[in-house]
């Protein structure tokens, strides 16, 4: 082999190795390297009426094995985000709830929007309309999905009347350290707006019991709840309804009654649709209603 051919061969090998090295580095940057944690808290303002947070790292691996039918639970856990947060800000003037899903991505945030937008139906449905651009990457490790939820105009008139002039206050604290946690702040009427929207039938006429239940929410401060696995198949759910001590003494009793009705209906639906079991009870302590429930056989949701 001539000296020239050796030289060209060496140059070609170096170029090939360089291309491979660039490809490996690019793959590491896109697929393997962990992205920075960017918690959702910097988006919470005094106007944020709804916060819900999912911490996927608290899902037991045996549950992931069932979810993936034993194929690759560790891979799923490897790519799952640090957290997924849902935020809602009511807009009384527009009878609307501005919503945002914020994903704190662990890996592959560049690829996730296209995958989600191509595989998930984000077309308008019901009261919720997602932004046409779908899930989008706003920075490394942070993805947003924005949308709007229509609220019942008549209910929003009541919200404007009851909470007119109430200034936004500091957000209520969340506990953290839960699989799922939510806070529904009703100090400016968010819970009332949502309940009125979903309780009002198409003809706009509430039956007397529902109307009384809705009115009881006027003296509700907030609803806080969290859920955690207590075994590979069971989840414990804790709820807290805090009422205004200066409000009507009947409010906590009405809320406890509504909670019982809601959980009874949910129990029947979960049993019929998924074969799950929901058990528990609520307690009333002055102006606070607490509910403690256990949802059993949650793995059956993946075998229907």
């Amino acid at each position: 082999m001539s000296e020239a051919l050796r030289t060209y061969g060496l140059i070609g090998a170096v170029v090939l190795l360089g291309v491979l090295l660039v490809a490996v580095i690019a793959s590491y940057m896109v697929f393997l390297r962990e992205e920075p944690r960017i918690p959702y808290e910097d988006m919470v303002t005094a106007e944020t009426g709804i916060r819900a947070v999912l911490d996927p790292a608290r899902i037991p691996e045996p549950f992931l094995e069932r979810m993936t039918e034993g194929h690759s639970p560790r891979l799923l856990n490897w790519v799952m985000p640090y957290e997924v947060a849902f935020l809602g800000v009511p807009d009384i003037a527009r009878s609307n709830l501005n919503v945002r899903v914020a994903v704190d991505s662990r890996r592959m945030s560049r690829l996730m929007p296209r995958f989600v937008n191509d595989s998930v139906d984000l077309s308008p449905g019901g009261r919720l309309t997602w932004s046409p651009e779908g899930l989008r990457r706003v920075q490394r490790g942070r993805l947003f999905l924005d949308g709007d939820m229509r609220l019942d105009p008549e209910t929003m008139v009541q919200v404007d009347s009851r909470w007119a002039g109430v200034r936004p206050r500091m957000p209520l604290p969340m506990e953290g350290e839960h699989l799922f946690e939510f806070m529904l702040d009703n100090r400016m009427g968010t819970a009332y707006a949502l309940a009125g929207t979903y309780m009002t039938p198409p003809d706009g006429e509430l039956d007397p019991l529902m109307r009384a239940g809705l009115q009881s929410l006027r003296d509700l401060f907030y609803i806080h709840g969290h859920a955690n696995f207590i075994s590979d198949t069971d989840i414990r759910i804790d709820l807290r309804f805090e009422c205004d001590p200066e409000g009507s003494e009947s409010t906590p009793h009405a809320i406890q009654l509504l909670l019982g009705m809601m959980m009874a209906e949910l129990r029947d639906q979960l049993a019929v649709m998924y074969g799950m079991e929901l058990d528990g009870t609520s307690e009333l302590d002055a102006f606070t209603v607490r509910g403690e429930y256990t949802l059993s056989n949650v793995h059956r949701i993946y075998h229907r």
Side-chain angles (χ1 to χ4, degrees), residues 192-244:
Y192 186 96
L194 290 173
T197 294
Y198 285 98
M199 291 169 64
T200 302
D203 60 11
E205 290 295 327
L206 285 171
D207 65 60
L209 180 60
M210 287 296 183
R211 187 179 300 277
L214 179 60
Q215 292 305 311
S216 69
L217 297 182
R218 294 164 66 91
D219 291 327
L220 175 68
F221 275 163
Y222 66 85
I223 307 172
H224 176 256
H226 53 77
N228 295 284
F229 275 95
I230 54 176
S231 72
D232 297 338
T233 60
D234 301 340
I235 291 177
R236 170 166 171 162
I237 303 168
D238 293 274
L239 303 174
R240 177 187 176 96
F241 299 75
E242 195 69 35
C243 304
D244 184 358

Side-chain angles (χ1 to χ4, degrees), residues 169-182:
R169 289 173 276 185
M170 292 294 293
L172 292 163
M174 298 272 273
E175 293 180 1
E177 307 299 323
H178 297 293
L179 168 70
F180 178 77
E181 182 177 9
F182 76 92

Side-chain angles (χ1 to χ4, degrees), residues 41-49 51 87 89 168-172 185 187-188:
E41 283 91 345
D42 64 336
M43 293 179 288
V44 177
T45 67
E47 288 83 9
T48 304
R51 282 172 286 164
L87 307 174
V89 179
R169 289 173 276 185
M170 292 294 293
L172 292 163
D185 189 341
R187 293 176 299 173
M188 292 190 298

Side-chain angles (χ1 to χ4, degrees), residues 46-58:
E47 288 83 9
T48 304
I50 304 175
R51 282 172 286 164
V53 186
L54 174 68
D55 183 355
R58 297 182 182 277

Side-chain angles (χ1 to χ4, degrees), residues 30-42:
V30 175
F31 297 104
L32 304 178
R33 188 176 61 152
E34 279 198 3
E35 297 174 332
R37 291 218 59 168
I38 312 176
Y40 74 96
E41 283 91 345
D42 64 336

